[in-house]
Amino acid sequence: MGLDTAAAKPHEKLAQMLAGDMDAVGALIRQRMASEHAPRIPEVTAHLVEAGGKRLRPMLTLAAARLCGYEGTDHVKLAATVEFIHTATLLHDDVVDESAQRRGRPTANLLWDNKSSVLVGDYLFARSFRLMVEPGNLRVLEILSDASAVIAEGEVLQLTAASNLATTEEVYLNVIRGKTAALFSAACEVGGVIAGASETEVRALFDYGDALGICFQIVDDLLDYGGATASIGKNTGDDFRERKLTLPVIRAIAAADAEERDFWKRTIERGRQEEGDLEHALALMAKHRTLETTRETAIDWAATAKDAILALPASELRDVLHDLADYVVERVV
């Protein structure tokens, strides 16, 4: 039975509109993650790939190509490339963050080990490069290989910025542009390039992906503290416990008096956390309205994404991408 598109969320509408292409992407992923000599590779990859998730990044590549009138098949290879890069970074991230859960399931490093996760991640990066070469488009190769480097750079920057109270909003933006927005923008941009879109359209797709990715990560960071309402829910405060400096905390530190600064120094910089510290952190964020201002920043980035996509030809697909930006921030409205 088909999805009721009137009631469907934008990412669900997108999945329905691109169903044939997404089936082709899924088949290609299963084919290319196979390994004749190392059966652990498809085991580990399948665990993550089949865990679900919205598959937003490959859908953005397919949507961008279709939006620009593309009728070939190379967009499927590029969408699979994007998903392989994303999956490889997840495998590596879970090792770095010592995570035990992803998408409600045990992480690969927990089920197997860190070595397997790192090496399978490396294999997927290699497969992604093999796939991105196949369309024979040098500019596509340049965009995706640059994005891979920026993602790694963002992760290293996060390591050095983490727990450092001197971390500014500018550094935070560089971190999330690397770890999240770089793949969103590349995913959109290569769709336009493979379709032979104009420079104006390709730039608009890049800007849309960049703003959507930044908005997506800011919302994610906000939800870690229960959203704009600052209510303590399931898994609330993981970033606080891991001493990650995200936008609500960076703004609370910037507004802190001497006593508050000592609190942040003890809990984030030195990592000496005690019972009740999360509640106190939330109280300080409420005092300085940093959850509300972070939400406003996310809405601003959603507006930037919506403005950018309007440079593309009018179509139902463009409308869904426009609505997608609103949907990302709806989780915290």
Side-chain angles (χ1 to χ4, degrees), residues 87-119:
T87 307
T89 60
L90 294 185
L91 284 166
H92 288 167
D93 284 356
D94 286 341
V95 173
V96 171
D97 295 340
E98 298 175 353
S99 303
Q101 269 210 335
R102 183 173 289 280
R103 295 171 185 160
R105 302 172 79 195
T107 53
N109 52 305
L110 193 70
L111 288 179
W112 286 275
D113 50 52
N114 284 343
K115 292 174 185 175
S116 294
S117 287
V118 170
L119 295 172

Side-chain angles (χ1 to χ4, degrees), residues 24-204:
V25 171
L28 187 58
I29 285 171
R30 284 188 293 277
Q31 180 195 333
R32 297 302 181 93
M33 72 185 190
S35 169
E36 185 186 342
H37 306 295
R40 181 163 294 186
I41 288 171
E43 281 174 22
V44 173
T45 309
H47 173 73
L48 201 53
V49 168
E50 288 162 19
K54 296 181 179 68
R55 295 274 175 94
L56 195 52
R57 293 155 189 83
M59 282 201 290
L60 289 173
T61 300
L62 300 174
R66 291 287 186 221
L67 194 54
C68 296
Y70 186 63
E71 291 178 0
T73 57
D74 281 339
H75 66 320
V76 169
K77 288 181 177 176
L78 297 180
T81 298
V82 165
E83 187 64 2
F84 270 152
I85 292 171
H86 179 53
T87 307
T89 60
L90 294 185
L91 284 166
H92 288 167
D93 284 356
D94 286 341
V95 173
V96 171
D97 295 340
E98 298 175 353
S99 303
Q101 269 210 335
R102 183 173 289 280
R103 295 171 185 160
R105 302 172 79 195
T107 53
N109 52 305
L110 193 70
L111 288 179
W112 286 275
D113 50 52
N114 284 343
K115 292 174 185 175
S116 294
S117 287
V118 170
L119 295 172
V120 172
D122 290 347
Y123 177 81
L124 292 184
F125 264 124
R127 296 310 274 168
S128 75
F129 275 82
R130 182 70 188 88
L131 264 171
M132 74 175 81
V133 167
E134 288 179 18
N137 186 309
L138 196 58
R139 186 166 173 200
V140 157
L141 187 59
E142 187 182 346
I143 292 164
L144 288 169
S145 57
D146 278 354
S148 300
V150 171
I151 291 164
E153 194 177 33
E155 292 292 353
V156 175
L157 178 59
Q158 181 169 267
L159 271 184
T160 55
S163 312
N164 180 356
L165 260 54
T167 297
T168 61
E169 289 193 26
E170 185 184 359
V171 171
Y172 168 78
L173 191 60
N174 285 336
V175 168
I176 65 172
R177 218 176 213 128
K179 62 180 269 191
T180 303
L183 195 54
F184 273 78
S185 56
C188 293
E189 194 178 4
V190 294
V193 169
I194 205 70
S198 70
E199 282 307 311
T200 303
E201 289 173 335
V202 170
R203 181 70 213 188

